[in-house]
Amino acid sequence: MSAGESAVQHSVTDAPVESAIESLLTRLGNIESQRLRDSLAIVLDNDRETKPAFSSSWVLPIPPPQAQLVKSYPIGDAEVRLYRLPDRTESLYFVAPFEYSLDSRQLKLLCKAREELRALNPGKVELRTPQEARMYAVQVGEKMLAAASKRDEVSVGKDKSEEKAMLRKLASVLARYTTGLGVIEIPLTDPNVQDVYIDAPNSRCPVHLVLGAVDGGLSQRCVTNIRLTEGDAESLLSRFRFESGRPFSEAMPVLETNLDEFKSRVTAIGKPLSPHGLAMALRRHSTEPWTLPRLIAAKSLTPFAAGLLSFLIDGRCTILVAGSRGAGKTSLLGALMLELPQSQRILTIEDTLELPTTQMQMLGYKVQNLFVQSSLGGLGEMTADEALRVSLRLGESALVLGEVRGQEARTLYEAMRAGTAGSSVLGTIHGNSSKAVYERIVHDMGIPPMAFAATDVIVIAGLARPGGTQRQLRRVTEITELAKSRGPGEFSQLMTYEPKVDELRGVDRVLWNSEKISSIAAQWGLSTEETMENIRIRGECKRRVVAESVRRADPSLLGARFVAAANAKYWSLVESGLAGDVLLSEWTSWLAGGW
């Protein structure tokens, strides 16, 4: 960076307008001129974006005058403010990055250190992952910044401890803009953010995103004060291509990959599919696996519905979780996996690593993951169909498919009919109803209707919009069994969602006469009454976990670790011969403090 180059850059404002304003100010007295100048500066800055010279991302420094602040919170060294925008159906997700508030001398230090770091040859240092590259950039960058601050006589603190803390923060910023993703990292590390969108053309379209649970009259859909440049998008794409090893060109203008560092899945599109340039959608995964109690706490399903699903999983059913994009299919599938006993071996097949396999392994589950080729292609990967055929030779296991959508569906149903698909089969599929799932599998994928009969239960994850508002609620809207005695493609709804009461409710007559529930009861030697009691007790256990979490103000009780322990305790009591309210009483005593 040259000595005369500004460390802070501003987007260009309309020059004639500024000239006219300046002319008006000269005609006024000193006091009036200064007051008007201060007022006009705020108005002008609402339309003027800014950025440090080492970044290519523009940030609006001041929210619109009509914006109403609802809440603010820190994300790393940045501040996030959420504003309500009157007369608009979206909110404002306002980012105040730490590095955008530094003084010009500190910014110049970062600019110089960035150029030095880029020119540095790591030599024999082996940087195998983005995390290792970031750590290297922080360590080396901190030394560079310390040397540069002494050489250029730039103060970074009043004493040694303050200097050290500031140098560490500056080194973190340096890593963010060399080995990281830049300012876009802020929403990608915000646990409240679910999806981030970068549209084309990048220089004219602000980044926008979707929040999870919101309050204070905020909308889940938000526009941000961040605007990337085409260079930003190209840099991001280069990193995604390098890490994934997947092709991207005009002949293959779509790239899908995982960002493990940010627990996200990215889909990028380019020309000619996107005529105005690169566009991206980044979908964040939950850092904590979803569980049935956590879904109850979020009102996605009722305790009884959770008990029913637990019962069906324990009964080794074939369950398909269906729904539209963003409805929570994978989250629900992960929660169902945690209902399998830790003694059960589990094989998962997925092309984007979203299922909580690593967390489950750390909890003692026997999980083997098979990573397969994306539908868009890849390097050195097997197809889902090939991996499924391999999995059928890996021994008795519960089989979990991240998504059923291609040739693997035929292999899967052949295996299920032959009885070689494992103790139970779980998977997700796109479809908004049981009938839609049947139509897709039978007519679109070419599975014979009689083969589809290997499916036992379909669970629909939906998006409810109470009162027709823009607010979207993730809800389990239907639990349906295949009515095999009535013929192909016939279903019985065990539970259905009622929007007016925002609740999933059971159809008692259907539940008591359910073919699948009766089949499991016969295998276990239970009467119909004992079976319904079994489902009720399971649901009540999960309801009490949620209640205890609220009583203690301890959300960790809804997490995978505690839920795995709670399920293990339930099964140990079953093995000891307890049932009904006696089992529930013993289990509740354990919950109250025995664990």
Side-chain angles (χ1 to χ4, degrees):
M1 178 178 181
S2 64
E5 186 180 352
S6 174
V8 183
Q9 298 176 4
H10 299 277
S11 58
V12 178
T13 311
D14 193 325
V17 173
E18 286 195 336
S19 178
I21 291 172
E22 195 63 37
S23 176
L24 174 62
L25 292 172
T26 59
R27 298 194 192 106
L28 299 173
N30 291 336
I31 296 177
E32 290 78 2
S33 175
Q34 187 58 51
R35 287 175 178 169
L36 185 55
R37 191 186 300 273
D38 292 341
S39 299
L40 288 171
I42 295 174
V43 175
L44 286 171
D45 278 342
N46 278 323
D47 295 320
R48 178 182 292 188
E49 296 165 312
T50 185
K51 67 181 180 69
F54 57 77
S55 171
S56 52
S57 304
W58 295 101
V59 168
L60 197 68
I62 299 175
Q66 73 277 14
Q68 302 167 3
L69 180 64
V70 175
K71 66 187 297 187
S72 63
Y73 51 90
I75 295 295
D77 54 19
E79 182 184 12
V80 169
R81 304 172 200 151
L82 300 180
Y83 289 89
R84 186 168 51 247
L85 298 175
D87 303 323
R88 294 185 64 173
T89 58
E90 59 188 355
S91 301
L92 173 61
Y93 183 94
F94 187 90
V95 172
F98 160 73
E99 58 271 22
Y100 281 60
S101 63
L102 295 172
D103 65 45
S104 60
R105 300 190 72 193
Q106 292 170 338
L107 289 174
K108 286 181 179 180
L109 278 182
L110 280 169
C111 290
K112 290 179 180 179
R114 182 171 179 259
E115 294 307 315
E116 290 178 22
L117 190 60
R118 281 182 158 185
L120 188 65
N121 185 352
K124 296 182 179 179
V125 178
E126 187 177 357
L127 304 175
R128 293 168 294 182
T129 66
Q131 292 91 333
E132 290 178 355
R134 186 184 292 263
M135 287 177 61
Y136 174 80
V138 169
Q139 292 169 358
V140 175
E142 190 170 345
K143 295 176 182 177
M144 287 180 172
L145 288 162
S149 66
K150 290 180 180 178
R151 182 179 63 245
D152 298 344
E153 297 182 349
V154 177
S155 174
V156 291
K158 297 177 182 178
D159 51 41
K160 288 291 183 182
S161 62
E162 194 173 305
E163 283 182 6
K164 189 173 181 179
M166 176 58 80
L167 286 171
R168 190 174 296 116
K169 291 179 75 173
L170 292 175
S172 178
V173 170
L174 182 62
R176 186 181 306 149
Y177 289 90
T178 50
T179 62
L181 304 182
V183 72
I184 203 69
E185 286 188 5
I186 297 171
L188 284 180
T189 51
D190 185 346
N192 299 309
V193 173
Q194 293 180 341
D195 298 279
V196 178
Y197 300 103
I198 303 168
D199 291 337
N202 314 127
S203 58
R204 293 208 302 266
C205 298
V207 174
H208 55 107
L209 52 80
V210 177
L211 295 173
V214 294
D215 51 22
L218 291 167
S219 171
Q220 289 174 290
R221 293 186 174 93
C222 299
V223 64
T224 75
N225 62 326
I226 303 170
R227 186 166 54 85
L228 306 186
T229 63
E230 279 70 15
D232 281 322
E234 289 288 350
S235 296
L236 291 174
L237 177 65
S238 295
R239 172 165 173 173
F240 301 154
R241 290 176 63 186
F242 175 76
E243 290 185 23
S244 68
R246 290 175 173 171
F248 187 90
S249 64
E250 288 195 1
M252 179 65 74
V254 182
L255 174 68
E256 284 187 329
T257 188
N258 286 314
L259 297 179
D260 294 333
E261 185 180 3
F262 298 98
K263 305 290 188 217
S264 302
R265 175 183 179 179
V266 59
T267 301
I269 60 173
K271 294 181 179 179
L273 181 61
S274 173
H276 298 296
L278 287 172
M280 301 177 191
L282 299 102
R283 185 177 182 187
R284 297 189 67 252
H285 312 320
S286 175
T287 54
E288 174 68 21
W290 281 89
T291 63
L292 292 184
R294 188 177 169 195
L295 289 168
I296 293 171
K299 299 184 178 180
S300 290
L301 75 168
T302 60
F304 184 84
L308 175 60
L309 291 174
S310 175
F311 174 85
L312 294 171
I313 290 288
D314 205 1
R316 301 189 171 189
C317 291
T318 296
I319 300 178
L320 292 180
V321 178
S324 60
R325 185 195 179 281
K329 299 186 298 297
T330 304
S331 299
L332 178 56
L333 181 62
L336 294 180
M337 287 174 62
L338 285 162
E339 293 303 302
L340 291 164
Q342 290 176 312
S343 59
Q344 172 68 63
R345 185 166 181 253
I346 306 169
L347 291 176
T348 67
I349 300 175
E350 52 183 335
D351 62 357
T352 55
L353 302 178
E354 300 181 65
L355 295 174
T357 53
T358 301
Q359 295 94 326
M360 290 181 69
Q361 287 172 339
M362 293 173 65
L363 294 174
Y365 286 85
K366 304 175 182 66
V367 187
Q368 173 61 55
N369 179 259
L370 302 180
F371 184 49
V372 301
Q373 188 179 97
S374 165
S375 58
L376 300 171
L379 301 176
E381 301 166 355
M382 299 182 73
T383 65
D385 183 50
E386 292 168 336
L388 178 57
R389 292 181 185 278
V390 170
S391 73
L392 299 177
R393 300 195 293 271
L394 290 176
E396 192 276 337
S397 306
L399 190 58
V400 182
L401 279 77
E403 185 173 349
V404 179
R405 61 184 172 196
Q407 176 59 35
E408 71 275 10
R410 182 176 294 276
T411 303
L412 176 65
Y413 277 94
E414 288 174 359
M416 287 193 295
R417 292 203 73 194
T420 59
S423 57
S424 59
V425 177
L426 309 174
T428 69
I429 188 169
H430 285 281
N432 293 321
S433 67
S434 301
K435 274 293 184 184
V437 171
Y438 175 81
E439 295 290 332
R440 183 160 186 234
I441 290 178
V442 172
H443 298 297
D444 296 348
M445 298 182 183
I447 305 300
M450 293 306 295
F452 181 79
T455 306
D456 294 320
V457 174
I458 296 176
V459 182
I460 304 298
L463 293 170
R465 290 176 54 192
T469 63
Q470 292 296 311
R471 190 162 51 101
Q472 293 184 323
L473 306 176
R474 287 181 171 86
R475 297 290 186 262
V476 173
T477 58
E478 186 181 307
I479 301 177
T480 303
E481 73 170 356
L482 191 65
K484 301 176 184 181
S485 64
R486 302 209 316 255
E490 295 296 323
F491 297 92
S492 295
Q493 286 191 343
L494 303 179
M495 300 193 76
T496 186
Y497 178 72
E498 295 188 17
K500 287 188 176 181
V501 293
D502 187 26
E503 192 173 281
L504 190 66
R505 292 189 171 178
V507 183
D508 291 342
R509 175 182 54 80
V510 179
L511 283 167
W512 280 78
N513 295 289
S514 161
E515 294 179 19
K516 192 59 195 178
I517 292 176
S518 298
S519 173
I520 296 171
Q523 293 173 18
W524 293 358
L526 300 178
S527 66
T528 302
E529 291 78 7
E530 289 171 331
T531 302
M532 290 297 122
E533 180 72 354
N534 185 295
I535 294 172
R536 183 188 71 81
I537 295 297
R538 289 170 184 263
E540 182 60 19
C541 285
K542 298 185 188 308
R543 187 197 68 78
R544 293 188 182 188
V545 168
V546 177
E548 188 71 5
S549 171
V550 173
R551 188 184 73 81
R552 298 188 189 188
D554 184 2
S556 70
L557 297 187
L558 306 178
R561 182 173 298 279
F562 182 78
V563 168
N567 288 345
K569 181 62 180 179
Y570 171 85
W571 280 312
S572 71
L573 293 173
V574 171
E575 291 296 325
S576 67
L578 299 183
D581 287 331
V582 176
L583 183 152
L584 181 61
S585 176
E586 287 290 324
W587 185 91
T588 302
S589 297
W590 170 85
L591 176 66
W595 59 274

